[in-house]
Amino acid sequence: MQNNLKIAFIGLGNMGGPMALNLLKAKFKLTVFDLMPQAVATLVAQGATSAKTAIEAVSGADVVISMLPAGKHVDALYLGSENQAGLISVLDKKCLVIDSSTIDTATAQKVGKALAEQGIASIDAPVSGGVGGATAGTLTFIVGGEKVHFEQALPVLNKMGKNIFLAGPLGAGQTAKICNNMLLSVLMAGTSEALQLAIDNGLDPKVVSDIMLQSSGRNWTLELYNPCPDVMPNVPSSKGYKGGFMVDLMKKDLGLAMDTATKSHSSTPMGELAQRLYSQHSEQGNGQLDFSSIFTLFSNQSKKS
Ligand code: NAD
């Protein structure tokens, strides 16, 4: 059975690709666009319609979903830039815009307000759960916007995620997501540091991971995303830190968290330290690796001493 909603999906990277695939599996009519032809071809092979431009992709769409790297890409896509017209000039008034990229709250609010002024509804709906969650359709969506638009989006978000929260008004999804990712970076760095300490003292990282999983150090990274190679199958650390959530994207999120903390005069010393560690790790040429590769910052240090 074909689902009647027409969805345009823009940004088919590590996250957007599998999210779009789940919409296809749910039988939505899907038109896709990405700057990388290969990403488009993968979805077309599964039944999506391709578009040559973002503007072509949104023609006749009931829902537009974007999954782009950063605020500047989202701003340019919807509001336009020197080189291209923004989607705002062509979107139908009954269309619902769902931006799932993780971006700064100010840009999310700016884009949302500009769309609202043209009578176009939108929500910010960043996600948590990584590529694994995107593939399995079990993402957590953290939404900012009006309740009516949140409810309108639910039948679509339900096909890509399991837990869907309304955090507050426009931009609140981004603020909540940034708080989550700051905590995640601290947990990942702390877990890596603890595992390396155990290894340096002659312990087996798999045994220590099992112990900590049943002890008070238990956390998401140990449960689902162990950063030490070969402790857990099918996670980036056991695949050369390929795929997953890039160091440079985590670095971006920590920058957003620190900007948010500066604006609200919040004290975030753990977040600041995590930002320094991720920046150092990126400067050493690891920006494109999965963020769990922060483990190597500690293991390489141990090898040197
Ligand atoms: P990615 O770099 O793999 O994918 C981004 C895609 O957007 C690329 O395919 C790129 O070609 C495309 N793109 C960029 N500009 C475009 C434009 N103007 N028009 C069309 N396509 C364009 O990134 P990702 O890992 O999929 O992450 C996307 C967003 O999701 C980011 O904001 C990231 O912070 C967030 N996020 C990622 C993860 C993760 O685990 N990877 C988890 C949660 C949230």
Side-chain angles (χ1 to χ4, degrees):
M1 201 180 72
Q2 183 94 19
N3 195 316
N4 278 333
L5 272 189
K6 280 188 74 180
I7 302 179
F9 205 115
I10 295 159
L12 307 164
N14 287 327
M15 294 293 289
M19 288 165 72
L21 192 55
N22 281 327
L23 295 177
L24 274 179
K25 285 183 189 155
K27 308 274 184 235
F28 286 107
K29 287 182 202 155
L30 198 69
T31 304
V32 294
F33 175 69
D34 192 290
L35 298 177
M36 308 287 283
Q38 185 51 49
V40 174
T42 303
L43 266 293
V44 169
Q46 301 295 322
T49 303
S50 72
K52 286 195 190 68
T53 62
I55 287 196
E56 187 185 312
V58 303
S59 170
D62 302 300
V63 176
V64 174
I65 303 174
S66 46
M67 193 54 170
L68 301 178
K72 63 179 181 189
H73 306 102
V74 175
D75 192 308
L77 176 72
Y78 289 104
L79 306 187
S81 65
E82 273 178 20
N83 314 322
Q84 62 179 57
L87 296 186
I88 193 166
S89 57
V90 296
L91 283 175
D92 196 288
K93 300 266 184 274
K94 66 173 176 33
C95 182
L96 174 69
V97 168
I98 302 175
D99 178 46
S100 282
S101 328
T102 301
I103 64 170
D104 59 291
T105 304
T107 300
Q109 289 171 335
K110 177 187 162 196
V111 171
K113 276 187 195 145
L115 288 168
E117 278 163 19
Q118 299 300 315
I120 302 159
S122 75
I123 57 174
D124 47 299
V127 302
S128 177
V131 175
T135 306
T138 57
L139 289 170
T140 296
F141 280 89
I142 310 166
V143 176
E146 288 180 30
K147 192 158 187 272
V148 59
H149 301 144
F150 171 75
E151 283 166 358
Q152 204 184 331
L154 279 176
V156 176
L157 301 185
N158 272 329
K159 301 292 185 235
M160 300 182 285
K162 200 168 70 171
N163 297 301
I164 300 161
F165 296 98
L166 181 59
L170 260 184
Q174 297 296 352
T175 306
K177 159 79 192 184
I178 286 162
C179 294
N180 177 74
N181 273 26
M182 184 181 77
L183 175 58
L184 173 62
S185 70
V186 170
L187 291 174
M188 188 55 93
T191 301
S192 298
E193 183 180 275
L195 285 171
Q196 190 56 45
L197 177 65
I199 293 166
D200 290 344
N201 284 278
L203 301 190
D204 179 339
K206 168 107 183 63
V207 173
V208 181
S209 294
D210 286 345
I211 292 168
M212 293 198 294
L213 263 175
Q214 299 307 324
S215 305
S216 43
R218 179 179 193 141
N219 68 75
W220 184 89
T221 72
L222 278 172
E223 277 178 65
L224 297 170
Y225 218 100
N226 197 298
C228 179
D230 302 324
V231 167
M232 204 175 249
N234 298 322
V235 290
S237 61
S238 297
K239 296 188 277 190
Y241 296 109
K242 300 265 162 42
F245 180 46
M246 282 190 303
V247 166
D248 280 347
L249 285 178
M250 179 55 95
K251 199 177 127 194
K252 175 199 75 172
D253 289 358
L254 285 166
L256 296 176
M258 293 306 104
D259 290 348
T260 306
T262 303
K263 280 190 198 126
S264 56
H265 306 288
S266 308
S267 168
T268 52
M270 304 292 281
E272 278 171 40
L273 179 55
Q275 185 190 32
R276 246 182 286 144
L277 293 173
Y278 271 98
S279 297
Q280 183 186 342
H281 189 47
S282 171
E283 281 155 21
Q284 289 173 358
N286 302 306
Q288 305 296 308
L289 296 182
D290 178 73
F291 83 114
S292 62
S293 65
I294 196 77
F295 178 79
T296 62
L297 195 69
F298 303 99
S299 59
N300 290 342
Q301 199 60 41
S302 288
K303 278 175 208 150
K304 276 185 206 150
S305 49

